[in-house]
Amino acid sequence: MRTAIVGRQFRALWLAARPSQVALIALVYAHGVGMARALTATAVSWPAVAVGGAALLPVALGVHYANEYADVETDRMTERTPFSGGSGA
């Protein structure tokens, strides 16, 4: 019973995180790193890139979770799309 509850909670957190959007955020971040590497004469600091990515991930997740919480009533009245209407979690 307890395992089922934890499983449902994990699934809800996963869906509310909107993993496809988090992947897109990571892709945009990587694109920015690539542009910085291509357009500057200095070498990219990979430890700084890692720290930036490590900071970006929890911020992106926090924004998604806060949005799910704040918009739950509004999202129930709309039709969901990949980018609006909540996760449905």
Side-chain angles (χ1 to χ4, degrees):
M1 177 70 175
R2 181 132 173 99
T3 305
I5 293 171
V6 171
R8 281 196 309 251
Q9 290 172 339
F10 180 76
R11 180 169 167 70
L13 284 173
W14 176 259
L15 292 174
R18 316 253 341 228
S20 61
Q21 290 185 13
V22 174
L24 288 173
I25 291 167
L27 183 64
V28 170
Y29 181 74
H31 184 69
V33 170
M35 287 175 38
R37 185 170 185 215
L39 297 176
T40 61
T42 60
V44 173
S45 169
W46 295 110
V49 170
V51 168
L56 179 63
L57 180 64
V59 170
L61 293 174
V63 167
H64 285 146
Y65 292 141
N67 187 5
E68 289 289 322
Y69 179 78
D71 292 344
V72 69
E73 295 299 325
T74 304
D75 289 342
R76 282 188 187 138
M77 296 183 284
T78 63
E79 185 175 330
R80 275 198 313 262
T81 70
F83 295 98
S84 68
S87 68

